Amino acid sequence: MATLVQPAFPFVDVTIDTSALVPVAQRSPGVVAVVGNADGATAPASTPLVVTAHDDALALFGKAGAATPLTRSLDLVFAQDPRPSKVYGVRTPAAGNYAAALAGLEAADDVTFVCLAGETTVGAATNGGTPATGLRALAEHVENTSAAGNRRIAVAMIDPAIAKTATYVDTVLATGSYGALKSSTGRMILVAARGATTDETASPNPVADAAAAVMGAVAGLAPATSLVLKQVRGFTVPITQQYVPAEVTGLAGQGVIPLIDPALVPGTGLFMGDGGVFSSDPAIGYADTRRVIDDAEARLRAGLIGSVGDARITKAGLTAVRVRVEGILGPLQLGAVIDDFSVTIPLLAILALPENARSAAEQAQVVTARQTRQVSVLISITYGPAVHRLNVTLAPQF
């Protein structure tokens, strides 16, 4: 039987390919987690649970309808405007057992900020089989998870109950005190709010969790937003406990964010007196720098994951990778998050040469890249941060 010729009808065959409609994964830069004590709560311990409001937090982490340290800190997170995009609450299995609760938080890979509810004790570092305690446990958690790929920032506070003295700044930042939390990673925001309270009329004044409030305020801001003079809500500081100018400059000079009520800002409120991170590395001295780098990294990882296994080590394949990187960073430049960027793929420059024009060393690089299936990409970003200080010269004349 003769083979029939394929008929022309319906004349044009269209195949639908929806692969380009698959959305790129996004990591919100404003997801926070509060880890704290909530004895008697119904929520399972060491388990991250999403909370959206006071009633929600009280139902999960309250004790017989009454507040706990964890619910009070969550309330301060909710008091911020704008609020974080998502809030987790994590109950410790026993009072002060932060290591176990933080371990349960490791799998929540969308978390970008973590604090310990009302905790002000520096604690001890991990020692053999003994887990870290206090704020040391928090510091180790964010550094370890960040090193593993889930970038996080810790927010902690200096004990608001520490009394004012002539050597206040040197005392609280000594290496035997909160100075022990400083590291080169720039993953700790240390807040100072002496006398912070949720009720000035009570005696004694209930101590407010300034760290939770600041964490909520920072997470509600875009990563490139400077923290300087951004308002923190939900508690007050008695005027007798507020920092004097020398203390403000002393704390800020060490990377601590003091909360102040400046007379130049109309009305009454608490504002961040600086925007630093508690870091020993001057290259990462500000919170917005740390956040922009983390955000750009998350965007690149999410946007380039589709190239793995598909892009080929050829001139055309690596050109497509470069175009994809430009498509990821271009919107950041258009949005004035970054001022400029450049993308360099050394192997692409070699592949652009005819094969007979490559040197032996260049050809060896191509062979090695194809054998190991690894390609290096260098991305340079120019970041234009916000103004933190204006030096004005006033020259009166007749």
Side-chain angles (χ1 to χ4, degrees), residues 5 13 37 49 106 196 215 227 229 281 309-310 364 367 374 391 396:
V5 176
D13 288 327
N37 302 323
L49 298 175
E106 291 176 359
M215 181 179 72
L227 306 188
L229 295 180
D281 183 359
D310 286 336
V367 171
Q374 294 185 34
N391 297 319

Side-chain angles (χ1 to χ4, degrees), residues 169-378:
V169 175
D170 293 335
T171 300
V172 297
L173 297 183
T175 55
S177 186
Y178 293 93
L181 299 173
K182 180 175 284 191
S183 73
S184 61
T185 62
R187 297 204 168 275
M188 169 74 75
I189 293 177
L190 185 60
V191 180
R194 186 173 56 209
T197 180
T198 53
D199 187 355
E200 289 189 38
T201 63
S203 181
N205 300 144
V207 175
D209 188 354
V214 168
M215 181 179 72
V218 174
L221 302 172
T225 305
S226 169
L227 306 188
V228 174
L229 295 180
K230 300 305 185 290
Q231 189 169 7
V232 182
R233 298 170 170 83
F235 64 98
T236 60
V237 173
I239 192 169
T240 56
Q241 298 295 314
Q242 293 180 15
Y243 295 114
V244 299
E247 291 175 318
V248 173
T249 55
L251 291 166
Q254 295 295 319
V256 180
I257 299 181
L259 297 186
I260 61 176
D261 183 6
L264 295 177
V265 178
T268 300
L270 292 176
F271 298 82
M272 292 183 239
D274 200 73
V277 288
F278 201 47
S279 172
S280 58
D281 183 359
I284 306 293
Y286 295 96
D288 58 290
T289 303
R290 176 78 277 167
R291 295 187 70 201
V292 166
I293 293 173
D294 287 353
D295 183 52
E297 179 190 8
R299 289 170 182 263
L300 287 167
R301 293 177 66 187
L304 292 174
I305 191 68
S307 297
V308 177
D310 286 336
R312 311 197 73 81
I313 304 178
T314 61
K315 179 182 176 181
L318 296 188
T319 298
V321 171
R322 185 182 65 188
V323 170
R324 181 171 287 199
V325 173
E326 292 171 348
I328 295 168
L329 297 180
L332 295 181
Q333 184 179 20
L334 291 174
V337 173
I338 59 177
D339 190 53
D340 196 11
F341 71 92
S342 64
V343 183
T344 303
I345 305 178
L347 195 64
L348 180 57
I350 298 174
L351 292 172
L353 299 172
E355 192 165 345
N356 58 7
R358 301 171 192 167
S359 67
E362 290 171 335
Q363 186 60 29
Q365 291 183 52
V366 175
V367 171
T368 300
R370 286 172 170 169
Q371 286 177 338
T372 61
R373 303 196 177 196
Q374 294 185 34
V375 177
S376 297
V377 180
L378 175 63

